Amino acid sequence: MRTDFQHLLISQDNSVLTITMNRPEVLNAFNDTMLGELNEAIEAAAQDDTVRCIVITGAGRGFGSGQDLKALAAVRSTTETGKVSEHLQKYHRLINAIRHMPKPVIAAVHGVAAGISCNLALACDMRIAADDARFIEAFARIGLVPDGGGGYFLPRLVGFGKALELAMLADEVSGPEAERIGLVNKCVPLTEFESATKTFAQRLAHGPTHTYGLIKELMNKSLESDLLSSLRLEGELQDIAFETADHREGVAAFLQKRPARFTGR
Ligand code: T3D
């Protein structure tokens, strides 16, 4: 994967790829370049067998502040813009790529995660937050509805009533509160955030990666389907998982009373 992006920092530690959104002067607000680069990096990570877990995070004092409103205003004042739904397709490409990524994607959130940056975090498989995190469904503050998948993921994570509250009032949710309501998987003190993220990601990167992809497929589909369809899919996916080297290794490790060494195959 190329690493010479204008607004992304890319680093790989063993099988963990960290993608850092890097426009700290605007709290990592999305302009078109950063959005295009993030799409490219995520799609490249999906194809790269040396990557078994992806961490998305932000440089400077936050995760992200949503769409770059200054860039948006500048475009609006100078050119005839198309419908915003056309622009949103670039975000939808990103959300789809994360959901169909056959390996775990973690959002590591410190500081602010507002607007579509917040919803990018919600589209990831899991979220780890620092205790200084500030999640803001900021859309209603500027008269917009939650986009970037927020209308889909938010009620599924925190329940219908809480989702409506967060979307309508657009109040900040702190890291500890986000953990309490299920918006993030865990919240840690800021001083431990980097090491906790690393430990979390390395653990996932050493798991049965192929099976993790199947688990994602099962969970993705369960959000839409009835019990019978989910049970049918579970059987189909288990047939695949049953044939993986990691399944054989897991059983062998159990029988030999030793930790499993998963290779992702
Ligand atoms: O076209 C489409 O696709 C539409 C899609 C829209 C999706 C969306 O994401 S809509 C939501 C857009 N985001 C927002 O409405 C959030 C705007 N920002 C804020 O409300 C606040 O900045 C924060 C609550 C995020 C953080 O507050 P604070 O006090 O910690 O920081 P700050 O001082 O406000 O911001 C620091 C700098 O970042 C500041 O620049 P300056 O004045 O020092 O030169 C600020 O203007 C800049 N900044 C923050 N957010 C954005 C931004 N610049 C451009 N766009 C931003 N979204």
Side-chain angles (χ1 to χ4, degrees):
M1 152 168 347
R2 77 179 176 102
T3 54
D4 58 338
F5 293 106
Q6 190 181 344
H7 295 312
L8 298 181
L9 303 173
I10 304 287
S11 66
Q12 190 166 343
D13 179 8
N14 294 311
S15 307
V16 175
L17 183 82
T18 299
I19 303 174
T20 304
M21 298 176 284
N22 189 30
R23 301 186 71 220
E25 67 285 0
V26 286
L27 296 174
N28 306 315
F30 275 102
N31 63 7
D32 273 3
T33 305
M34 191 172 91
L35 178 55
E37 290 182 343
L38 190 53
N39 268 312
E40 183 187 330
I42 289 287
E43 285 166 6
Q47 303 298 323
D48 187 339
D49 286 341
T50 70
V51 173
R52 292 173 62 191
C53 178
I54 294 128
V55 176
I56 303 177
T57 192
R61 71 175 175 90
F63 180 79
S65 60
Q67 171 66 35
D68 188 320
L69 296 178
K70 294 170 193 163
L72 186 70
V75 170
R76 272 190 174 158
S77 67
T78 54
T79 50
E80 189 65 34
T81 50
K83 283 191 180 248
V84 71
S85 55
E86 289 165 23
H87 187 239
L88 282 176
Q89 284 174 15
K90 298 176 199 167
Y91 286 109
H92 296 170
R93 178 178 150 199
L94 177 62
I95 304 302
N96 269 311
I98 291 170
R99 291 305 332 131
H100 294 108
M101 171 84 66
K103 37 199 149 186
V105 185
I106 302 169
V109 179
H110 66 293
V112 79
I116 208 155
S117 303
C118 180
N119 289 342
L120 165 65
L122 302 194
C124 293
D125 298 320
M126 284 173 254
R127 286 149 290 287
I128 182 166
D131 57 5
D132 76 336
R134 303 157 63 196
F135 294 88
I136 316 172
E137 288 289 330
F139 304 89
R141 291 186 183 181
I142 55 169
L144 294 180
V145 304
D147 56 25
Y152 184 88
F153 296 111
L154 192 61
R156 284 167 170 79
L157 284 167
V158 299
F160 195 71
K162 194 71 186 173
L164 283 166
E165 177 195 323
L166 296 182
M168 286 184 181
L169 300 182
D171 287 338
E172 291 192 16
V173 178
S174 69
E177 175 68 357
E179 183 185 62
R180 197 187 67 77
I181 64 175
L183 197 62
V184 303
N185 298 74
K186 65 167 134 185
C187 174
V188 297
L190 181 59
T191 47
E192 295 165 23
F193 176 63
E194 217 176 295
S195 64
T197 300
K198 190 173 170 178
T199 304
F200 194 36
Q202 288 293 350
R203 181 174 171 193
L204 285 164
H206 286 86
T209 313
H210 191 158
T211 301
Y212 283 168
L214 300 174
I215 291 173
K216 278 183 78 161
E217 189 178 339
L218 185 62
M219 297 293 172
N220 284 344
K221 296 257 170 66
S222 83
L223 295 173
E224 307 300 337
S225 71
D226 57 280
L227 176 61
L228 281 184
S229 309
S230 190
L231 293 177
R232 197 176 312 117
L233 178 65
E234 164 195 293
E236 288 165 19
L237 296 174
Q238 200 69 300
D239 281 344
I240 300 171
F242 223 72
E243 296 303 320
T244 61
D246 281 341
H247 169 59
R248 285 192 294 278
E249 163 63 9
V251 174
F254 172 75
L255 294 176
Q256 293 161 20
K257 298 188 185 301
R258 61 168 175 81
R261 289 182 295 270
F262 292 124
T263 57
R265 291 185 198 92

